[in-house]
Amino acid sequence: MRNFNLTPDLTPLYRSAIGFDRLAQLAEHAAANNANSGYPPYNIELLGENRYRITMAVAGFAMSELEIMSEGEKLLVKGNKTAKTDERKYLHQGIAERGFERTFQLADYVRVVGAELEHGLLNIDLVREIPEAMKPRKIDIVSTNTLG
């Protein structure tokens, strides 16, 4: 039986591309972060040209048990479930009551503008704000030809 390595080898990219090391790190992070993909379930929506929303299903979590941190180009969402004091006897327990930690990699100039918890869904709104210096601009063409 053969074992296949699903982790991409990006060594050729490092040897031949200059300035793309961040892209390679993102690919490596995505490949290593597959265990992060199951709980809690989430959606990523495109609301407009530069507006996004992450919606996470966090049923059973109180607002005080959720934490959102944005640092640089990483968005970290944590859920810390407090210990229950009442002893229940479940015949079936399908609602997860475990903590979680999910990291999202944000693109350049994307920032979190707000978050709300409603009906067990955590909505995190993001916007991409490209600086004026990075936006396309028209360059006027002048003539150096002076006849006269």
Side-chain angles (χ1 to χ4, degrees):
M1 180 175 214
R2 287 185 148 182
N3 289 334
F4 292 101
N5 184 5
L6 297 177
T7 305
D9 180 17
L10 300 173
T11 306
L13 180 63
Y14 288 128
R15 285 192 307 248
S16 62
I18 298 170
F20 289 94
D21 52 331
R22 184 167 177 270
L23 179 64
Q25 289 171 351
L26 284 173
E28 287 176 349
H29 175 74
N33 211 13
N34 278 342
N36 193 18
S37 63
Y39 176 77
Y42 65 93
N43 295 333
I44 301 176
E45 297 175 73
L46 177 62
L47 301 176
E49 186 178 344
N50 290 310
R51 293 180 33 241
Y52 307 90
R53 175 175 285 164
I54 299 170
T55 302
M56 299 180 73
V58 292
F61 282 86
M63 210 179 307
S64 61
E65 297 171 325
L66 296 169
E67 180 181 351
I68 302 171
M69 294 284 298
S70 177
E71 182 179 347
E73 293 160 351
K74 289 193 189 240
L75 172 65
L76 175 66
V77 183
K78 285 185 186 180
N80 296 312
K81 201 69 180 142
T82 56
K84 291 198 172 193
T85 57
D86 61 338
E87 291 296 321
R88 296 183 180 182
K89 291 186 179 182
Y90 292 101
L91 297 178
H92 170 76
Q93 186 175 4
I95 299 173
E97 292 187 350
R98 63 183 184 270
F100 67 88
E101 187 172 306
R102 177 170 299 284
T103 303
F104 296 94
Q105 188 72 35
L106 302 178
D108 292 337
Y109 313 115
V110 173
R111 66 180 186 89
V112 178
V113 292
E116 68 176 356
L117 180 64
E118 182 178 25
H119 304 299
L121 297 174
L122 176 64
N123 294 312
I124 304 169
D125 292 323
L126 305 113
V127 66
R128 178 177 32 217
E129 295 176 337
I130 300 172
E132 285 298 320
M134 300 298 289
K135 291 181 181 177
R137 60 186 173 98
K138 183 176 180 179
I139 309 298
D140 294 328
I141 301 171
V142 296
S143 174
T144 58
N145 187 7
T146 55
L147 298 175

